[in-house]
Amino acid sequence: DAQIPEVEAAGLRVGSPVEARLLAFPNAPILGRINALIPELQRETRTVRVRIQTPNPEGRLRPGMFARIRLPDRNESAAQLLVPTDAVIVTGKRHLVIVATDKGRFVPVEVTPGQEADNRTEILAGLQEGEKIVVSGQFMIDSEASLRGTLARMDSARDAPEKAVAANTWAGTGVVNSVTENEIVLAHKAIPELQWPAMTMPFPLAQPGLAAAFSPGQSVRFSFSETETGPVIQSLHLLAETAP
C-alpha cells in the first residue's frame, strides 16, 4: 500500500507501472503495477491510498517494510496551458477568467479547469495561448453580490463590443439608501434579466440632480442603462412613502 499525494493521484490508473525500492534493499528496485485505487482521501495528509502488486524475489518483501515508490513519468509531450490559480474565479457552477481585449476592455470568459499544482491551474478549454488575462481575478470581489453585478456588466460589454451599450435598458425596484447630486445608492430587489441578486449598490445618475427629490427610506422604481463604465440611472419614480 502506498500513500500518494492528491495532486499526483489524479493521473494514475489501474495497471500503471510502478517502481518500488525497499529501504532495506535500496539498490534492488522492484517493478510492479497498480491493481487498486482506494476511493477515499485521507484528509489529514491529503493523500490517496494505492495498492500495488509486485513480485517477491527471494522472499525479501515482508509485512511492515517501508519502500519508496516512483510513479510513471507524466507525458511531457502533451502541451499544457497554465494560468495562475488566483486568476480563476469560481462562481458556483462556473469557472471564469478575466481576459483583456485589444480594445482595452476586460471580459469574463468561462473556462474548464484541469489539475492544479504549485499555484498554477491547467486550462482544458476556454483560453488560447497568448491571450492576456488578469492574473488575480479576486481584485473585484468584496462580496458575491458585487461579483455577480460586475460580471453582468462585463458580459453586456462583451456581447456588444462595437456599439454603445446604453441602448440596453432594464428596470427594478428598491429602497433609497443615500443620495448625492450625481449618485444614488439603492437596496434593490433581484433583477433576473441580468442574474443580479438583491443587493445594495451605488448608481451614477444620467443627469445631475435627477434624484434630488428623493430621500433615504423611500421605495422607488428605477430604470437604468448599461454604458462602458457600468449601469447608469435614467429615471426614478416614487412607489410609496416609507415611514422613518
Side-chain angles (χ1 to χ4, degrees), residues 2-9 38 40-50:
Q3 302 291 338
I4 307 298
E6 176 184 6
V7 67
E8 297 290 343
I38 309 303
E40 182 180 0
L41 178 69
Q42 300 295 324
R43 295 185 179 181
E44 296 80 7
T45 58
R46 309 304 301 178
T47 57
V48 174
R49 189 157 60 98
V50 174

Side-chain angles (χ1 to χ4, degrees), residues 1-128:
D1 286 351
Q3 302 291 338
I4 307 298
E6 176 184 6
V7 67
E8 297 290 343
L12 296 181
R13 300 289 183 270
V14 172
S16 296
V18 176
E19 180 185 277
R21 289 180 181 267
L22 297 172
L23 297 185
F25 307 100
N27 297 322
I30 301 173
L31 298 181
R33 291 190 177 275
I34 295 174
N35 70 351
L37 300 171
I38 309 303
E40 182 180 0
L41 178 69
Q42 300 295 324
R43 295 185 179 181
E44 296 80 7
T45 58
R46 309 304 301 178
T47 57
V48 174
R49 189 157 60 98
V50 174
R51 186 161 296 151
I52 300 168
Q53 185 176 21
T54 67
N56 189 10
E58 303 177 11
R60 289 181 175 181
L61 298 181
R62 297 172 185 174
M65 281 187 165
F66 285 93
R68 295 187 182 275
I69 302 299
R70 180 178 179 182
L71 301 175
D73 293 333
R74 291 188 177 185
N75 183 10
E76 299 296 341
S77 62
Q80 296 176 325
L81 183 63
L82 302 176
V83 301
T85 296
D86 285 346
V88 182
I89 304 173
V90 182
T91 62
K93 298 180 180 180
R94 297 199 300 168
H95 294 77
L96 303 172
V97 170
I98 307 302
V99 175
T101 69
D102 294 336
K103 298 182 179 180
R105 296 182 178 180
F106 296 90
V107 297
V109 173
E110 187 168 355
V111 298
T112 303
Q115 296 188 41
E116 176 186 340
D118 299 327
N119 294 320
R120 296 186 299 173
T121 296
E122 179 185 14
I123 301 299
L124 303 177
L127 289 180
Q128 299 293 328

